[in-house]
């Protein structure tokens, strides 16, 4: 199992697609975006769900946390059942988010990957993609890495996604 | 857990979105489409993956089956961990596909839903959506229901997705 | 040139894709959705642009109207230059919107098509598609047809998009 | 009017979205991708349409060229009618493609922008986006610029889309 953590617009999805292309075995990719897609539309307009403020702030409520926990446990089961699984997540709680994952993972072998990108560059890419609330990239760029421990870190500021993916793939047995 | 089975363009996704809207609790939705999205792009051009023939035929190989099995077990774990989960699937193997699910489900409580649509109408809707290989709808319309046992069946031929969803929701305790 | 007018979720896009499939010659399809996609994202949060209220109401400002007018004139030019063009629009101004189109069309030959759908059914389909502000379908179902004169009207309430498209195609020389 | 020319995955769309964000007035954006979206699905599997070979080669037939010509004339009309229009195109014919545009433009004022990206980097980004036929980026990287004359050139190899957009915007009166 590979878990990537990085702020919005840091380039996680691009790295995941490249990982799927360069790794010799088929890997399943899941992420916080696909989790939100799996939730009812109403979760995006409820205090118990996930809220995106106009300034890029993200808040999550109890229902969201509960479903996210069940989802994480399900992904761990997929890995235990033999699937190679790569996950991209946004650790809004920094070290606390990693600790929560560790509780679900048990003794499962995981490669922790930090995906960094300078805040100004991530913000510029947020403008270029055009489908995100402006401000998320800058707000999350440092926040999500606070206290998190990685096996490998990549930085997309000046390195292409494919090169980042190759560095990560080299760490996968 | 709710499992919907029906052919391509029978209207499963629309029913799932309506279910998420009418059910009072938040439900997570997964399906065969989101599974394919989670796989490497190369799986769509490999004998071990999933192939879409020009006539609408679908063939799946060993790698696909293995990942699909691990995915199903993960979804069962999500449900056991407290998430309400609705799945839309296409039982290409009819009764055999249902039997495979039963092996993963154990004693988990499931509502089995058959989503039917007359082949000619499903084929017409396939043309209208424009993002599927022509022929899938007609090929799968009856095939996927062979030998499958349901708790409730709905038919989108002349009933709106929202009405189908309400009938299903009435069966959820 | 074919111009379809109907409320949100009445099924215009599905009919357009079917028209492109059944008409023997290649037709270019444009619509109010593709126009909005062509505009800056900021137009969706400006008084001069287009606003979607929480109750499904739609308001348009001066910048939007100006760009829309230039766009319409461009589509007329495409048709005059030899392209077959099918347009789906939402006449928020009813007869006034048709009059505005007539001003741009000059003597160009147009087939005017009304796409109707009962408000409750359109609202149900709005829920099923899940990507529109709830309430638009009901608000627009009758409003957009007020005073508009058609060459042919179709009703998707109980007729499939493909059958509607065939009825329209039969009117294209 | 601004016309950007560059190979597949050179980053044209990102620059266009940034241009729309940084330019003080609203600009309409059209491109070869939105033109293909406007065509019937069958155009992608016809000799007269547009073909994408497995090696990334792109071939276009008579119907495609005819519709493209009418489309270009329509965009020119939009600009003459007062809309600011930015177009991203792929000059498969190099200087010949520019000459064809000039024929449609007449005396309309245009800013010609070359969007370059080193072939290996464009190919890496093609892998990262995951929605294009592999090989297009490399094949088109140099080809599309042959003999084309620009007012300004930008290079996304080591410059962010937003910075490229700012350089272009500085040239717009």
């Amino acid at each position: 199992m590979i878990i990537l953590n990085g702020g919005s617009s840091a380039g996680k999805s691009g790295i995941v697609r490249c990982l799927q292309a360069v790794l010799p075995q088929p890997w399943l990719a899941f992420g916080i975006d696909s989790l939100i897609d799996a939730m009812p539309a109403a979760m995006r307009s409820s205090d118990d769900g996930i809220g995106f403020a106009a300034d890029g702030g993200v808040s999550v409520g109890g229902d969201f946390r509960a479903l996210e926990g069940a989802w994480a446990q399900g992904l761990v089961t997929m890995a235990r059942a033999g699937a190679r699984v790569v996950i991209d997540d946004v650790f809004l709680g920094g070290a606390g988010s990693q600790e929560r994952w560790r509780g679900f993972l048990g003794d499962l072998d995981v490669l922790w990957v930090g995906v960094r990108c300078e805040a100004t560059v991530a913000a510029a890419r947020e403008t270029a993609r055009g489908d995100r609330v402006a401000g998320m990239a800058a707000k999350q760029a440092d926040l999500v890495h606070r206290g998190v421990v990685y096996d490998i870190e990549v930085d997309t500021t000046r390195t292409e996604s494919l090169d980042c993916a190759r560095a990560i793939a080299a760490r996968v047995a």
Side-chain angles (χ1 to χ4, degrees), chain A residues 44-67:
Chain A
R44 269 155 273 168
S45 54
S46 151
D47 286 349
D48 288 327
I50 183 164
F52 298 92
D55 68 349
V58 178
S59 58
V60 295
D63 281 351
F64 185 93
R65 280 289 171 230
L67 291 175

Side-chain angles (χ1 to χ4, degrees), chain A residues 24-85:
Chain A
Q25 305 285 354
W27 283 69
L28 287 181
F30 298 96
I32 195 69
D33 286 350
S34 66
L35 172 61
I36 294 172
D37 284 346
M39 291 184 176
M43 287 289 278
R44 269 155 273 168
S45 54
S46 151
D47 286 349
D48 288 327
I50 183 164
F52 298 92
D55 68 349
V58 178
S59 58
V60 295
D63 281 351
F64 185 93
R65 280 289 171 230
L67 291 175
E68 187 190 36
W71 171 77
Q73 292 172 65
L75 300 185
V76 170
T77 293
M78 292 182 202
R80 289 194 189 282
R84 293 168 183 83
V85 178

Side-chain angles (χ1 to χ4, degrees), chain A residues 88-166:
Chain A
D88 71 270
D89 200 358
V90 180
F91 290 1
L92 291 174
S97 301
Q98 186 173 36
E99 213 43 57
R100 191 166 184 238
W101 266 110
R102 284 208 173 105
F104 297 134
L105 290 163
D107 60 354
L108 192 74
D109 203 32
V110 170
L111 185 77
W112 296 97
V113 181
V115 180
R116 293 185 181 270
C117 183
E118 285 176 14
T120 51
V121 171
R125 292 178 188 167
E126 184 176 69
T127 301
R129 64 195 290 190
D131 61 349
R132 300 293 149 130
V133 179
M136 284 174 62
K139 268 193 198 307
Q140 298 175 2
D142 295 317
L143 180 79
V144 301
H145 297 291
R146 281 192 198 148
V148 181
V149 181
Y150 298 112
D151 294 305
I152 178 173
E153 291 186 56
V154 294
D155 189 323
T156 65
T157 311
R158 271 167 294 266
T159 309
E160 296 295 317
S161 299
L162 183 56
D163 293 321
C164 295
R166 283 184 179 135

